[in-house]
């Protein structure tokens, strides 16, 4: 099922737009945002843009001291402790926010891991699915009382969702051979389906591909693999494909646009890329005929039935449902 909403709107922005450019002219004074992973890479650039426009931003981090050092000198930022792979940590952080009682205008689910070796967390969950999806699912659902019809939840997915649909019979790779890229793709598909599920529950939600960017997200990739991808040469310098990569400021633009743009006021549950609503991939065209690393969103990632299956499975896994239907 392909949503009819996956239609470009003519935003006027593009692949080289920066986060600062999408908030130019916006007054975010009095707005409160929460950005996971907001102390490095794309998250840090999003926080810089949001605070420069007047917003106050809460940045939770597994290593709060590292976050505080990275954010030093930025006005309008509060740090806290949060480990998305630990549901007790998620619950404790959410309880602190609920006790503070401040409504959230924006939640950007920005933190994540990519292509890491197989690792089990919590009750035996595969780390990428646990961190990238289940932790954020539990967090947003626990924060539900702080969200209203004008709040936005933004999930940073990836074009990597093209790598894999959900493995409904074995999402945690307990019975199948582990493939780090397939597992990453599954978790990114879950990010898109989470936005679809939230939209079905009346929450303004978006998922997005930020673009190809060299950030700490690549920390699990060996140099040889980055050389093969053309991102670096054998000495660790930028490779032939590096010219096509975005800067972190450009990579943060789409999540910042999703979080703030009046252009999206009448939309929800759509997948974005390059500060624009992406098209749905025509799967009748063979993959090898789509050219290179094509854009767009895979139909399985915006399927309403798949979103409901994932929601139910996530509620069962986390024990949290802040938006009962």
């Amino acid at each position: 099922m392909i949503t009819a909403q996956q239609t470009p709107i003519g935003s006027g922005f593009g692949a080289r737009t920066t986060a600062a450019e999408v908030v130019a002219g916006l007054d975010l004074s009095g707005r409160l945002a929460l950005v996971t992973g907001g102390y490095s890479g794309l998250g840090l650039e999003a926080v810089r843009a949001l605070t420069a426009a007047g917003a106050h931003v809460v940045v939770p981090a597994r290593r709060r001291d590292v976050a505080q050092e990275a954010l030093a000198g930025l006005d309008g930022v509060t740090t806290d402790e949060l480990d998305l792979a630990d549901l007790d940590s998620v619950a404790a952080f959410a309880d602190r926010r609920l006790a503070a009682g401040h409504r959230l205008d924006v939640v950007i689910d920005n933190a994540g891991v990519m292509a890491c070796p197989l690792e089990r967390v919590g009750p035996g969950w595969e780390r990428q699915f646990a961190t990238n999806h289940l932790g954020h699912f539990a967090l947003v659902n626990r924060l539900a009382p702080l969200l209203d019809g004008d709040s936005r939840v933004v999930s940073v997915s990836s074009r990597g969702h093209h790598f894999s649909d959900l493995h409904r019979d074995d999402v945690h790779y307990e019975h199948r051979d582990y493939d780090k890229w397939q597992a990453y793709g599954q978790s990114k598909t879950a990010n898109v389906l989470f936005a679809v599920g939230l939209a079905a529950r009346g929450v303004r939600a978006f998922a997005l591909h930020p673009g190809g960017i060299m950030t700490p997200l690549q920390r699990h990739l060996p140099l040889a693999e980055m050389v093969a991808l053309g991102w670096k040469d054998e000495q660790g310098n930028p490779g032939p494909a590096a010219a096509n990569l975005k800067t972190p400021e450009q990579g943060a633009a789409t999540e910042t646009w999703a979080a703030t743009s009046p252009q999206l006021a009448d939309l929800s549950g759509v997948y974005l890329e390059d500060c624009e609503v992406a098209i749905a991939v025509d799967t009748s065209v063979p993959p090898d005929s789509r050219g290179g690393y094509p854009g767009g969103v895979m139909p399985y990632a915006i399927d309403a039935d798949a979103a409901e299956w994932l929601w139910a499975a996530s509620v069962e896994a986390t024990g949290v449902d802040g938006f009962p239907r």
Side-chain angles (χ1 to χ4, degrees), residues 92-149:
F93 170 79
D95 285 346
R96 291 193 294 274
R97 295 310 313 167
L98 292 170
H102 301 300
R103 172 185 171 276
L104 286 165
D105 293 278
V106 174
V107 176
I108 302 182
D109 295 334
N110 170 86
V113 293
M114 181 179 78
C116 58
L118 178 61
E119 183 179 354
R120 300 290 177 190
V121 298
W125 294 339
E126 187 273 315
R127 174 172 281 281
Q128 295 192 81
F129 192 78
T131 302
N132 296 351
H133 171 62
L134 290 173
H136 281 123
F137 179 90
L139 176 64
V140 172
N141 275 271
R142 286 190 178 277
L143 295 175
L146 303 180
L147 304 173
D148 61 26

Side-chain angles (χ1 to χ4, degrees), residues 32-104:
L32 180 62
L34 189 159
V35 182
T36 66
Y39 60 99
S40 69
L42 307 186
L44 177 56
E45 296 305 327
V47 170
R48 284 177 173 153
L50 292 170
T51 55
H56 189 93
V57 183
V58 177
V59 178
R62 185 166 55 88
R63 296 173 296 168
R64 189 177 185 182
D65 57 335
V66 175
Q68 289 174 328
E69 181 177 353
L71 295 163
L74 275 183
D75 293 330
V77 179
T78 301
T79 61
D80 202 337
E81 294 180 2
L82 171 65
D83 182 350
L84 287 164
D86 181 346
L87 291 186
D88 289 337
S89 175
V90 173
F93 170 79
D95 285 346
R96 291 193 294 274
R97 295 310 313 167
L98 292 170
H102 301 300
R103 172 185 171 276
L104 286 165

Side-chain angles (χ1 to χ4, degrees), residues 1 3-6 109 133 137 140-141 147-155 190-207 264-272 301-308 310-311 321-325:
M1 175 180 177
T3 173
Q5 291 180 308
Q6 288 296 151
D109 295 334
H133 171 62
F137 179 90
V140 172
N141 275 271
L147 304 173
D148 61 26
D150 293 322
S151 302
R152 298 189 186 191
V153 176
V154 178
S155 294
N191 291 157
V192 187
L193 289 170
F194 184 32
V196 174
L198 283 167
R201 288 158 175 80
V203 181
R204 195 166 305 285
F206 304 96
L264 296 169
D266 296 325
L267 293 175
S268 185
V270 293
Y271 174 87
L272 316 171
I302 51 173
D303 183 89
D305 292 336
E308 290 307 306
L310 178 63
W311 193 280
D321 188 354
F323 307 94
R325 300 188 72 174

Side-chain angles (χ1 to χ4, degrees), residues 290-307:
R290 297 176 198 155
Y293 190 34
V297 59
M298 294 297 287
Y300 57 67
I302 51 173
D303 183 89
D305 292 336

